[in-house]
Amino acid sequence: MSKGTSMNIEAFSRSKYKNSTKPGDDVILIEPDQVLAVFDGATDPTGAFYNGESSGRIAARSAARCVADMLVRGTLDEAPAEMIFQEISTSVKTAAQERNVAHPASTTAALAVKCGDMYRILALGDTGVRLNGTKILQHHKIIDTVSTAARIQVHKTLNQRMDESDDVEFATRQTIFLGLEAAIETGKLTRQETELAIQAATQASGLPQSVVAEFLSGGIRTQFHYANADHLLGFASLNGGQVIANGLTDLTIPASELESIEIFSDGYISIPTSGIRCADWEAEFTRVETEDFHKTGAFPAVKGSTSSETCDDRTVISAGI
């Protein structure tokens, strides 16, 4: 077939649980020559599962089904991006209600839609798209910058008094999740040590210290309050609410100008500089794990890896056109 009319598609998805005993929160949708999509459900901070699925996976799967329905209806070609994402968000709310999900379910979405002799790229959240192996479209949340900087400082503090690296990582995760005030109350950190974390996050984000301190005091367990919120820490989310357009991508590009499309979740901390195949992404993942296992150095992240988990689920679709 002529260029721009057919795809050669590869896809890879791996749960963060190394023993694969639990499914991850990433979901793939592939309709060859029609739509490619990755949905990254938000990790449920309560750790709850509903008939074997987390709230994040429920959200991602309902979003994928919604996009498939819109594809059949022809909505994805010309409907406003805000309308498309709002319909996805509403589907997430419905799915969560049907499963009696206790914590607000949410997901990101990134899509490449074939529209005649054009491709439409739609994305909301931090799931990324790369075109022709060079042009990267990925929105990063400032609230993650805050959490990451604070986590690295807390990890540094706890590493000085704990022997096992897994223990340090899990204690750091718990501290950032439950909040710095809880860490002080339980004696895990001193007030001075929490101030160091707040200062690091303030410097990294450039936000007012009062805003940073308020969030970190309550921890990531309070992050859902900032989803689709008009706030310095606010971020767009497909969580059943009214979706804001913060970081929304809506790009149309001629198929004749495309040689490849890659869609990837943020479980890939670093993007391969050469090669677009799934094997190239996995090689880069391995390099990052070797160089910065704890994600406190060259590849900072909200979580580090342990002997039983990587820092996040990871998913990539690679299509040659």
Side-chain angles (χ1 to χ4, degrees):
M1 303 182 76
S2 61
K3 177 176 170 58
T5 62
S6 185
M7 297 179 177
N8 295 314
I9 303 169
E10 291 185 344
F12 178 85
S13 187
R14 179 68 187 268
S15 165
K16 57 180 164 286
Y17 302 104
K18 294 181 179 180
N19 59 11
S20 299
T21 56
K22 299 177 184 177
D25 298 320
D26 293 354
V27 171
I28 292 174
L29 174 65
I30 297 177
E31 293 283 355
D33 302 317
Q34 295 187 72
V35 64
L36 307 173
V38 171
F39 308 89
D40 181 358
T43 300
D44 189 327
T46 68
F49 275 73
Y50 305 84
N51 295 325
E53 287 190 305
S54 65
S55 64
R57 187 171 182 83
I58 290 169
R61 189 161 53 79
S62 69
R65 287 179 173 176
C66 182
V67 168
D69 289 342
M70 285 192 282
L71 175 66
V72 172
R73 302 199 316 263
T75 304
L76 298 176
D77 286 11
E78 297 182 356
E82 292 81 0
M83 182 183 300
I84 290 172
F85 287 123
Q86 191 59 55
E87 184 167 339
I88 297 173
S89 183
T90 300
S91 78
V92 169
K93 181 178 181 179
T94 300
Q97 290 174 336
E98 290 174 348
R99 302 288 287 275
N100 294 315
V101 173
H103 188 83
S106 64
T107 184
T108 67
L111 301 73
V113 185
K114 186 69 160 50
C115 307
D117 60 356
M118 307 288 286
Y119 277 92
R120 186 180 189 187
I121 309 299
L122 294 161
L124 188 140
D126 53 15
T127 296
V129 180
R130 183 166 69 165
L131 306 177
N132 295 336
T134 56
K135 184 178 179 62
I136 300 169
L137 306 169
Q138 186 177 28
H139 179 71
H140 296 283
K141 306 193 300 289
I142 191 67
I143 199 168
D144 286 346
T145 301
V146 171
S147 294
T148 297
R151 173 194 163 269
I152 291 172
Q153 179 58 44
V154 170
H155 188 279
K156 178 181 178 181
T157 298
L158 295 180
N159 195 47
Q160 295 174 349
R161 64 177 71 137
M162 302 175 73
D163 296 328
E164 295 294 328
S165 64
D166 277 7
D167 292 341
V168 175
E169 174 58 29
F170 286 126
T172 301
R173 290 185 185 185
Q174 185 181 48
T175 298
I176 297 302
F177 168 66
L178 295 177
L180 298 181
E181 282 301 316
I184 295 172
E185 292 171 3
T186 58
K188 186 173 293 183
L189 295 176
T190 66
R191 177 71 64 180
Q192 183 179 12
E193 288 168 340
T194 64
E195 288 298 326
L196 290 175
I198 292 171
Q199 290 171 14
T202 300
Q203 183 176 2
S205 66
L207 294 174
Q209 183 166 314
S210 59
V211 172
V212 171
E214 180 180 24
F215 167 59
L216 292 177
S217 293
I220 289 177
R221 62 178 174 173
T222 69
Q223 182 165 312
F224 70 94
H225 291 300
Y226 299 93
N228 294 317
D230 182 16
H231 190 279
L232 289 174
L233 290 173
F235 58 94
S237 176
L238 301 171
N239 67 347
Q242 185 64 40
V243 180
I244 62 174
N246 183 359
L248 183 152
T249 295
D250 183 6
L251 171 69
T252 302
I253 184 168
S256 60
E257 296 180 10
L258 284 175
E259 295 182 356
S260 64
I261 300 173
E262 298 154 275
I263 307 177
F264 55 96
S265 67
D266 67 340
Y268 286 104
I269 306 300
S270 177
I271 298 171
T273 55
S274 62
I276 66 166
R277 306 287 296 272
C278 292
D280 299 314
W281 285 83
E282 280 298 283
E284 180 66 6
F285 170 80
T286 299
R287 185 181 76 86
V288 170
E289 288 296 283
T290 301
E291 184 173 333
D292 190 9
F293 187 74
H294 299 294
K295 309 302 180 294
T296 57
F299 303 100
V302 175
K303 291 188 293 184
S305 295
T306 70
S307 59
S308 60
E309 298 178 22
T310 56
C311 65
D312 203 353
D313 308 316
R314 64 190 190 275
T315 297
V316 61
I317 299 175
S318 173
I321 299 171

